[in-house]
Amino acid sequence: MKASRVEVNVYHCSAAISACEKGGQWQMALHLLSSMPEAKVVPNEFTYSAAISACEKGGQWQMALHLLSLMPEAKVVPNEFTYSAAISACEKGGEWQLALNLLSLMPEARVVPNEITYNAAISACEKVGQWQMALNLLSRMPGASVVPNVITHSAAMSACEKGGQWQLALNLLSRMPEAGVSPNVITYSAAMSACEKGGQWQLALNLLSRMPEASVVPNVITYSAAMSACEKGGQWQLALNLLSLMPDATMVPNEITYNAAITACSKSGQWQLALNLLSMMPECATLNRATAWGSVLLSMALSGNQELHASMMESLRLQWLESASRIGRYPSGENYSFGGFQVLLESDGLFAVFKPAGIRTEELVARLSQALLSEGHPGDITSSSRLDVETSGVLPLVFGPESSAVGRWLTVQFAARQVAKEYICLCSGPILGPKGTQGQIDNPLQVLKTEGVGTSMLKAVWSSSGKAAFTQYEVLKVFQQPLPALVNEDDAIMMLLVRPLTGRTHQIRSHLAGIGRPILGDGNYGGLKAPWCRRVLLHCWRLSLMDLNGRRFQPEAPFPTDLLETLQYLGYDPIAGSCDDARE
């Protein structure tokens, strides 16, 4: 435009920034915004809104909030679109508290919230399972003269689904007509997903059957939700029936639909049917095929077909090894660190880092990705498992996306339970036996979400309707000297080597608490709290799996300082990271 001597104005710049936002080019949008003063163009509220939306689309919530904070200095008054974009950016980043804070600041800034603003705030609560807060926002809308729409109800129902509140989700659905809002396919899908999470497969199928009379046409997502509900309820025949009905409804099953049907068959021991469905799954569904393969292979193994299981695992490994165009590696030698984390072992695109206590797995992966990008390397890092915030130890990762050959190989090994993990923990209670005593806990676990003031927490409880869970343990050391923190004088503190044979949420913590030996520092499961125990003393010491070249990958994580200090307080001074000595 400059070359053709056309004067650039604020509308041109806003349109260009909006184009960058739609194209996912948030850096370019910010560059255009920063270059406007040079072109003697003053940004307005629409320009800032477009730039903030670009940051939101790019997952840059910090930058979005920074732009919002700069507006008063630039003498630009934020409007409802600006706030909506900033709240949406917080929602994408999982920052629900910041989203609610922005909503609360709008009246002070003389900006009236609208349905878009409320929808963004409710979606922010939904993303993190804050169902109570989402419903609170929904109830406040009429008082603010804002009419909830179908998007509002769908977001609130999704929040109930994530919080395990299927009854509330169905209640919201039933009340929509009296609020003058017609449910759509997204609303029904959210309600069916809530039923699926709550193990209510009959209700999920009932909702599916009611959709035609409500003039709502089911889609692939709806069928997938209904089939997942059947899978959770062990109704593999019904899941297959739904799959067979999809062509009559002019729907083409996708990888999610096939995955639900395959999992339903695999969990019921129908691995032959699952294998047949796997052959029908779209070839482009690389990640879901890996998960599905893991489900089928596990079913084979549990059915006693060990030889076929081993043969198919090897066939997959060779197939993915041959298809791997390149295997990502970090350009360094052994025993290095990057992103502030120690790398314990690396092998052909697979690597393991030491995760300290106090950091979420997702945050650790994000920091590693950023470290790679800052050094000019591709930033894709894949995690197929996670450790709780307070758990330290070995975390296996992949250089590359989930769809890469190494990423799929790691996924299938976890899904097929081919990864052996060993944890070290300190627990208290009646003595399990002398050193070397072994045992197994096999109580099913159900994960519940408990709510606090502005918080939510997962908790695994023993339940006959829960998922199968198996944990082996071995006593490594018994500390019997008088300890004032112990409740009963006959109790002791024990160091255990624990092997979870399944990978349920909080499995070790719940299983040990269930037999009356909770982990030290684990207040949520009744664990002993003492000044010399600063966190949940659970440490992932070692794991064992196979890399894509067929070599054993077995990293070990040294004992962290807090665990060593506790052991020394108890009168035990192990060699850092060595548990084999304790077993002799």
PDB file of all heavy atoms in Angstrom, residues 41-64:
ATOM      1  N   VAL A  41      -0.182   5.610  12.665  1.00  0.00           N
ATOM      2  CA  VAL A  41      -1.562   5.139  12.804  1.00  0.00           C
ATOM      3  C   VAL A  41      -1.801   4.822  14.278  1.00  0.00           C
ATOM      4  O   VAL A  41      -1.012   4.102  14.903  1.00  0.00           O
ATOM      5  CB  VAL A  41      -1.822   3.880  11.954  1.00  0.00           C
ATOM      6  CG1 VAL A  41      -3.259   3.409  12.131  1.00  0.00           C
ATOM      7  CG2 VAL A  41      -1.524   4.163  10.487  1.00  0.00           C
ATOM      8  N   VAL A  42      -2.859   5.357  14.844  1.00  0.00           N
ATOM      9  CA  VAL A  42      -3.163   5.144  16.263  1.00  0.00           C
ATOM     10  C   VAL A  42      -4.076   3.931  16.405  1.00  0.00           C
ATOM     11  O   VAL A  42      -5.174   3.907  15.835  1.00  0.00           O
ATOM     12  CB  VAL A  42      -3.844   6.388  16.869  1.00  0.00           C
ATOM     13  CG1 VAL A  42      -4.172   6.135  18.349  1.00  0.00           C
ATOM     14  CG2 VAL A  42      -2.945   7.616  16.713  1.00  0.00           C
ATOM     15  N   PRO A  43      -3.655   2.912  17.147  1.00  0.00           N
ATOM     16  CA  PRO A  43      -4.508   1.728  17.344  1.00  0.00           C
ATOM     17  C   PRO A  43      -5.779   2.100  18.093  1.00  0.00           C
ATOM     18  O   PRO A  43      -5.783   3.015  18.924  1.00  0.00           O
ATOM     19  CB  PRO A  43      -3.636   0.787  18.193  1.00  0.00           C
ATOM     20  CG  PRO A  43      -2.239   1.319  18.073  1.00  0.00           C
ATOM     21  CD  PRO A  43      -2.366   2.794  17.856  1.00  0.00           C
ATOM     22  N   ASN A  44      -6.868   1.403  17.801  1.00  0.00           N
ATOM     23  CA  ASN A  44      -8.110   1.601  18.553  1.00  0.00           C
ATOM     24  C   ASN A  44      -8.516   0.290  19.231  1.00  0.00           C
ATOM     25  O   ASN A  44      -7.763  -0.688  19.220  1.00  0.00           O
ATOM     26  CB  ASN A  44      -9.220   2.149  17.651  1.00  0.00           C
ATOM     27  CG  ASN A  44      -9.590   1.185  16.535  1.00  0.00           C
ATOM     28  OD1 ASN A  44      -9.199   0.013  16.554  1.00  0.00           O
ATOM     29  ND2 ASN A  44     -10.334   1.671  15.558  1.00  0.00           N
ATOM     30  N   GLU A  45      -9.707   0.277  19.817  1.00  0.00           N
ATOM     31  CA  GLU A  45     -10.129  -0.915  20.565  1.00  0.00           C
ATOM     32  C   GLU A  45     -10.273  -2.140  19.662  1.00  0.00           C
ATOM     33  O   GLU A  45     -10.045  -3.280  20.091  1.00  0.00           O
ATOM     34  CB  GLU A  45     -11.440  -0.643  21.325  1.00  0.00           C
ATOM     35  CG  GLU A  45     -12.656  -0.378  20.473  1.00  0.00           C
ATOM     36  CD  GLU A  45     -12.812   1.108  20.124  1.00  0.00           C
ATOM     37  OE1 GLU A  45     -11.796   1.836  20.117  1.00  0.00           O
ATOM     38  OE2 GLU A  45     -13.956   1.527  19.849  1.00  0.00           O
ATOM     39  N   PHE A  46     -10.634  -1.928  18.382  1.00  0.00           N
ATOM     40  CA  PHE A  46     -10.773  -3.066  17.468  1.00  0.00           C
ATOM     41  C   PHE A  46      -9.411  -3.658  17.109  1.00  0.00           C
ATOM     42  O   PHE A  46      -9.265  -4.866  16.958  1.00  0.00           O
ATOM     43  CB  PHE A  46     -11.526  -2.625  16.204  1.00  0.00           C
ATOM     44  CG  PHE A  46     -12.911  -2.118  16.481  1.00  0.00           C
ATOM     45  CD1 PHE A  46     -13.199  -0.757  16.419  1.00  0.00           C
ATOM     46  CD2 PHE A  46     -13.921  -2.998  16.852  1.00  0.00           C
ATOM     47  CE1 PHE A  46     -14.474  -0.289  16.699  1.00  0.00           C
ATOM     48  CE2 PHE A  46     -15.206  -2.530  17.127  1.00  0.00           C
ATOM     49  CZ  PHE A  46     -15.487  -1.167  17.058  1.00  0.00           C
ATOM     50  N   THR A  47      -8.419  -2.787  16.977  1.00  0.00           N
ATOM     51  CA  THR A  47      -7.058  -3.256  16.694  1.00  0.00           C
ATOM     52  C   THR A  47      -6.547  -4.114  17.843  1.00  0.00           C
ATOM     53  O   THR A  47      -6.015  -5.215  17.624  1.00  0.00           O
ATOM     54  CB  THR A  47      -6.104  -2.051  16.511  1.00  0.00           C
ATOM     55  OG1 THR A  47      -6.767  -1.008  15.825  1.00  0.00           O
ATOM     56  CG2 THR A  47      -4.863  -2.474  15.740  1.00  0.00           C
ATOM     57  N   TYR A  48      -6.706  -3.599  19.056  1.00  0.00           N
ATOM     58  CA  TYR A  48      -6.245  -4.356  20.225  1.00  0.00           C
ATOM     59  C   TYR A  48      -7.022  -5.665  20.378  1.00  0.00           C
ATOM     60  O   TYR A  48      -6.453  -6.710  20.714  1.00  0.00           O
ATOM     61  CB  TYR A  48      -6.377  -3.508  21.494  1.00  0.00           C
ATOM     62  CG  TYR A  48      -5.159  -2.652  21.763  1.00  0.00           C
ATOM     63  CD1 TYR A  48      -5.131  -1.311  21.410  1.00  0.00           C
ATOM     64  CD2 TYR A  48      -4.038  -3.202  22.379  1.00  0.00           C
ATOM     65  CE1 TYR A  48      -4.012  -0.512  21.658  1.00  0.00           C
ATOM     66  CE2 TYR A  48      -2.911  -2.419  22.634  1.00  0.00           C
ATOM     67  CZ  TYR A  48      -2.904  -1.077  22.278  1.00  0.00           C
ATOM     68  OH  TYR A  48      -1.782  -0.318  22.526  1.00  0.00           O
ATOM     69  N   SER A  49      -8.334  -5.613  20.122  1.00  0.00           N
ATOM     70  CA  SER A  49      -9.147  -6.826  20.238  1.00  0.00           C
ATOM     71  C   SER A  49      -8.672  -7.890  19.261  1.00  0.00           C
ATOM     72  O   SER A  49      -8.579  -9.087  19.607  1.00  0.00           O
ATOM     73  CB  SER A  49     -10.628  -6.511  19.985  1.00  0.00           C
ATOM     74  OG  SER A  49     -11.131  -5.639  20.968  1.00  0.00           O
ATOM     75  N   ALA A  50      -8.349  -7.465  18.048  1.00  0.00           N
ATOM     76  CA  ALA A  50      -7.864  -8.408  17.040  1.00  0.00           C
ATOM     77  C   ALA A  50      -6.523  -9.010  17.456  1.00  0.00           C
ATOM     78  O   ALA A  50      -6.292 -10.218  17.296  1.00  0.00           O
ATOM     79  CB  ALA A  50      -7.732  -7.707  15.686  1.00  0.00           C
ATOM     80  N   ALA A  51      -5.632  -8.166  18.003  1.00  0.00           N
ATOM     81  CA  ALA A  51      -4.314  -8.649  18.431  1.00  0.00           C
ATOM     82  C   ALA A  51      -4.446  -9.612  19.618  1.00  0.00           C
ATOM     83  O   ALA A  51      -3.765 -10.639  19.681  1.00  0.00           O
ATOM     84  CB  ALA A  51      -3.418  -7.475  18.805  1.00  0.00           C
ATOM     85  N   ILE A  52      -5.346  -9.278  20.547  1.00  0.00           N
ATOM     86  CA  ILE A  52      -5.562 -10.155  21.704  1.00  0.00           C
ATOM     87  C   ILE A  52      -6.165 -11.486  21.245  1.00  0.00           C
ATOM     88  O   ILE A  52      -5.790 -12.555  21.743  1.00  0.00           O
ATOM     89  CB  ILE A  52      -6.473  -9.454  22.742  1.00  0.00           C
ATOM     90  CG1 ILE A  52      -5.714  -8.287  23.390  1.00  0.00           C
ATOM     91  CG2 ILE A  52      -6.942 -10.429  23.816  1.00  0.00           C
ATOM     92  CD1 ILE A  52      -6.569  -7.396  24.270  1.00  0.00           C
ATOM     93  N   SER A  53      -7.086 -11.436  20.280  1.00  0.00           N
ATOM     94  CA  SER A  53      -7.659 -12.668  19.727  1.00  0.00           C
ATOM     95  C   SER A  53      -6.596 -13.519  19.054  1.00  0.00           C
ATOM     96  O   SER A  53      -6.623 -14.753  19.131  1.00  0.00           O
ATOM     97  CB  SER A  53      -8.774 -12.337  18.725  1.00  0.00           C
ATOM     98  OG  SER A  53      -9.899 -11.820  19.376  1.00  0.00           O
ATOM     99  N   ALA A  54      -5.646 -12.861  18.387  1.00  0.00           N
ATOM    100  CA  ALA A  54      -4.547 -13.597  17.754  1.00  0.00           C
ATOM    101  C   ALA A  54      -3.714 -14.330  18.805  1.00  0.00           C
ATOM    102  O   ALA A  54      -3.315 -15.488  18.624  1.00  0.00           O
ATOM    103  CB  ALA A  54      -3.668 -12.645  16.949  1.00  0.00           C
ATOM    104  N   CYS A  55      -3.461 -13.638  19.926  1.00  0.00           N
ATOM    105  CA  CYS A  55      -2.718 -14.274  21.027  1.00  0.00           C
ATOM    106  C   CYS A  55      -3.513 -15.436  21.617  1.00  0.00           C
ATOM    107  O   CYS A  55      -2.959 -16.483  21.959  1.00  0.00           O
ATOM    108  CB  CYS A  55      -2.419 -13.256  22.122  1.00  0.00           C
ATOM    109  SG  CYS A  55      -1.245 -11.974  21.622  1.00  0.00           S
ATOM    110  N   GLU A  56      -4.825 -15.240  21.731  1.00  0.00           N
ATOM    111  CA  GLU A  56      -5.701 -16.309  22.253  1.00  0.00           C
ATOM    112  C   GLU A  56      -5.619 -17.540  21.363  1.00  0.00           C
ATOM    113  O   GLU A  56      -5.438 -18.665  21.844  1.00  0.00           O
ATOM    114  CB  GLU A  56      -7.141 -15.793  22.334  1.00  0.00           C
ATOM    115  CG  GLU A  56      -8.150 -16.843  22.747  1.00  0.00           C
ATOM    116  CD  GLU A  56      -9.131 -17.180  21.637  1.00  0.00           C
ATOM    117  OE1 GLU A  56      -9.595 -16.260  20.938  1.00  0.00           O
ATOM    118  OE2 GLU A  56      -9.438 -18.381  21.482  1.00  0.00           O
ATOM    119  N   LYS A  57      -5.707 -17.336  20.041  1.00  0.00           N
ATOM    120  CA  LYS A  57      -5.638 -18.473  19.113  1.00  0.00           C
ATOM    121  C   LYS A  57      -4.279 -19.171  19.179  1.00  0.00           C
ATOM    122  O   LYS A  57      -4.169 -20.372  18.960  1.00  0.00           O
ATOM    123  CB  LYS A  57      -5.882 -17.994  17.677  1.00  0.00           C
ATOM    124  CG  LYS A  57      -7.279 -17.477  17.394  1.00  0.00           C
ATOM    125  CD  LYS A  57      -8.310 -18.583  17.359  1.00  0.00           C
ATOM    126  CE  LYS A  57      -9.635 -18.095  16.815  1.00  0.00           C
ATOM    127  NZ  LYS A  57     -10.228 -16.975  17.547  1.00  0.00           N
ATOM    128  N   GLY A  58      -3.242 -18.404  19.489  1.00  0.00           N
ATOM    129  CA  GLY A  58      -1.902 -18.970  19.578  1.00  0.00           C
ATOM    130  C   GLY A  58      -1.543 -19.499  20.953  1.00  0.00           C
ATOM    131  O   GLY A  58      -0.392 -19.886  21.181  1.00  0.00           O
ATOM    132  N   GLY A  59      -2.505 -19.485  21.880  1.00  0.00           N
ATOM    133  CA  GLY A  59      -2.251 -20.001  23.226  1.00  0.00           C
ATOM    134  C   GLY A  59      -1.368 -19.106  24.074  1.00  0.00           C
ATOM    135  O   GLY A  59      -0.770 -19.557  25.056  1.00  0.00           O
ATOM    136  N   GLN A  60      -1.285 -17.827  23.718  1.00  0.00           N
ATOM    137  CA  GLN A  60      -0.409 -16.888  24.432  1.00  0.00           C
ATOM    138  C   GLN A  60      -1.228 -16.016  25.385  1.00  0.00           C
ATOM    139  O   GLN A  60      -1.401 -14.818  25.186  1.00  0.00           O
ATOM    140  CB  GLN A  60       0.340 -16.012  23.411  1.00  0.00           C
ATOM    141  CG  GLN A  60       1.138 -16.780  22.389  1.00  0.00           C
ATOM    142  CD  GLN A  60       2.279 -17.553  23.016  1.00  0.00           C
ATOM    143  OE1 GLN A  60       2.984 -17.034  23.876  1.00  0.00           O
ATOM    144  NE2 GLN A  60       2.473 -18.794  22.583  1.00  0.00           N
ATOM    145  N   TRP A  61      -1.729 -16.633  26.478  1.00  0.00           N
ATOM    146  CA  TRP A  61      -2.593 -15.883  27.378  1.00  0.00           C
ATOM    147  C   TRP A  61      -1.851 -14.775  28.107  1.00  0.00           C
ATOM    148  O   TRP A  61      -2.424 -13.697  28.367  1.00  0.00           O
ATOM    149  CB  TRP A  61      -3.276 -16.826  28.367  1.00  0.00           C
ATOM    150  CG  TRP A  61      -2.366 -17.556  29.306  1.00  0.00           C
ATOM    151  CD1 TRP A  61      -1.807 -18.765  29.126  1.00  0.00           C
ATOM    152  CD2 TRP A  61      -1.917 -17.091  30.589  1.00  0.00           C
ATOM    153  NE1 TRP A  61      -1.015 -19.112  30.201  1.00  0.00           N
ATOM    154  CE2 TRP A  61      -1.071 -18.106  31.117  1.00  0.00           C
ATOM    155  CE3 TRP A  61      -2.129 -15.943  31.346  1.00  0.00           C
ATOM    156  CZ2 TRP A  61      -0.457 -17.987  32.362  1.00  0.00           C
ATOM    157  CZ3 TRP A  61      -1.513 -15.835  32.591  1.00  0.00           C
ATOM    158  CH2 TRP A  61      -0.703 -16.837  33.088  1.00  0.00           C
ATOM    159  N   GLN A  62      -0.559 -14.996  28.434  1.00  0.00           N
ATOM    160  CA  GLN A  62       0.199 -13.945  29.128  1.00  0.00           C
ATOM    161  C   GLN A  62       0.307 -12.700  28.250  1.00  0.00           C
ATOM    162  O   GLN A  62       0.142 -11.568  28.720  1.00  0.00           O
ATOM    163  CB  GLN A  62       1.606 -14.423  29.502  1.00  0.00           C
ATOM    164  CG  GLN A  62       1.635 -15.611  30.457  1.00  0.00           C
ATOM    165  CD  GLN A  62       1.844 -16.928  29.752  1.00  0.00           C
ATOM    166  OE1 GLN A  62       1.355 -17.129  28.636  1.00  0.00           O
ATOM    167  NE2 GLN A  62       2.578 -17.822  30.388  1.00  0.00           N
ATOM    168  N   MET A  63       0.584 -12.928  26.954  1.00  0.00           N
ATOM    169  CA  MET A  63       0.716 -11.799  26.028  1.00  0.00           C
ATOM    170  C   MET A  63      -0.623 -11.091  25.839  1.00  0.00           C
ATOM    171  O   MET A  63      -0.684  -9.855  25.724  1.00  0.00           O
ATOM    172  CB  MET A  63       1.252 -12.288  24.677  1.00  0.00           C
ATOM    173  CG  MET A  63       1.583 -11.187  23.693  1.00  0.00           C
ATOM    174  SD  MET A  63       2.814 -10.015  24.323  1.00  0.00           S
ATOM    175  CE  MET A  63       4.288 -11.039  24.305  1.00  0.00           C
ATOM    176  N   ALA A  64      -1.710 -11.862  25.822  1.00  0.00           N
ATOM    177  CA  ALA A  64      -3.045 -11.267  25.690  1.00  0.00           C
ATOM    178  C   ALA A  64      -3.337 -10.330  26.871  1.00  0.00           C
ATOM    179  O   ALA A  64      -3.826  -9.208  26.678  1.00  0.00           O
ATOM    180  CB  ALA A  64      -4.100 -12.362  25.611  1.00  0.00           C
TER     181      ALA A  64
END
